[in-house]
Amino acid sequence: MTNIGIGVSDDYLSQFQKHSTEGYVTSYTLEIDFFDEGKVIGVINIIFDVIGYGVEGFDGGIDISYQVMYFQDPLNQEDYLDDNEAFIYIFSNYGNDIMNVVDLAYDALDDFYMKGTPLSQFANHFK
């Protein structure tokens, strides 16, 4: 594995209901795939919890969390890194790329809830 690339899943921002707490609106997930020679070797999900937009007494905000689904060991393709090792490897090597995607998604969600801008604008960055 020498030329690992990253790509945003075609689902872009997928909405789902995670939990119901005070001020919670909804959640979105964004999948980033890591691939080598066309084969997916790792996946990380980025979860955006939308809180407070349109809820009386709350300012709008978005909490972000990350979930490593799996990642092949770059030194031994027969094995997978454990979650902590994968997280460190991914963010050490691809942190800037991931943060660029996160910033675009955050801005798209904020614009959607503040201005009504369609979320499809986010997908246009990757087509």
Side-chain angles (χ1 to χ4, degrees):
M1 275 195 272
T2 55
N3 292 326
I4 298 173
I6 70 170
V8 174
S9 168
D10 288 342
D11 293 337
Y12 303 109
L13 288 167
S14 301
Q15 186 176 9
F16 70 98
Q17 289 300 120
K18 186 174 173 181
H19 52 71
S20 181
T21 59
E22 193 173 14
Y24 173 79
V25 177
T26 193
S27 295
Y28 292 83
T29 186
L30 174 66
E31 180 180 300
I32 294 183
D33 300 325
F34 297 85
F35 53 91
D36 185 30
E37 297 177 7
K39 178 184 171 203
V40 175
I41 59 160
V43 174
I44 186 170
N45 283 337
I46 303 167
I47 300 154
F48 300 85
D49 292 327
V50 178
I51 300 167
Y53 289 93
V55 178
E56 189 173 322
F58 288 89
D59 292 330
I62 302 169
D63 291 337
I64 303 169
S65 58
Y66 303 87
Q67 179 183 24
V68 174
M69 303 307 291
Y70 65 91
F71 199 88
Q72 272 186 333
D73 186 335
L75 301 176
N76 180 1
Q77 294 180 17
E78 301 296 319
D79 290 328
Y80 290 88
L81 299 176
D82 70 33
D83 289 350
N84 291 332
E85 291 173 325
F87 190 85
I88 291 168
Y89 181 85
I90 289 167
F91 279 91
S92 294
N93 291 284
Y94 307 99
N96 288 336
D97 296 325
I98 292 170
M99 289 312 300
N100 288 337
V101 172
V102 167
D103 288 344
L104 289 169
Y106 184 98
D107 290 345
L109 287 167
D110 187 59
D111 287 349
F112 175 72
Y113 283 96
M114 294 295 287
K115 302 175 187 172
T117 306
L119 283 177
S120 60
Q121 296 297 327
F122 173 73
N124 292 338
H125 291 285
F126 305 100
K127 291 182 179 181

